[in-house]
Amino acid sequence: NLEMLRCVLDPPLKTGIPPDRIWAALGSRDTTIPYQFGSEMLREWNVPDENITIWNVDHFGFIDRLIRKENFQNLIRKAIESVRKQ
């Protein structure tokens, strides 16, 4: 029963790190991790728009892009460079 794991699986109301250090990518057609849910959560966490990447893909397209495309690698590089500057 996943209800027992809810405290572990549900995202927290507040982030454990500053919102400007969160980098996220969302699939706009993802129904497994719905885009609307992820988008609202990031807004509630005050993650800056420039730290949010939206791809026009579903869940498997998202995973494919993570593995095969440079977009994700560039996103990670950008996040690492921002931390180095701090």
Side-chain angles (χ1 to χ4, degrees), residues 17-36:
I17 61 174
D20 64 338
R21 295 191 63 192
I22 295 173
W23 294 81
L26 303 170
S28 64
R29 294 184 286 130
D30 193 337
T31 56
T32 305
I33 302 171
Y35 168 78
Q36 184 75 22

Side-chain angles (χ1 to χ4, degrees), residues 22-74:
I22 295 173
W23 294 81
L26 303 170
S28 64
R29 294 184 286 130
D30 193 337
T31 56
T32 305
I33 302 171
Y35 168 78
Q36 184 75 22
F37 172 80
S39 178
E40 287 174 8
M41 180 182 64
L42 294 170
R43 302 255 179 264
E44 289 173 8
W45 285 352
N46 296 311
V47 175
D49 288 340
E50 61 268 16
N51 291 16
I52 301 171
T53 299
I54 301 166
W55 294 325
N56 184 26
V57 295
D58 61 11
H59 193 70
F60 292 106
F62 182 85
I63 293 169
D64 178 65
R65 190 168 282 200
L66 290 179
I67 296 168
R68 299 181 181 187
K69 306 287 184 186
E70 289 184 16
N71 302 58
F72 182 69
Q73 296 166 9
N74 292 336

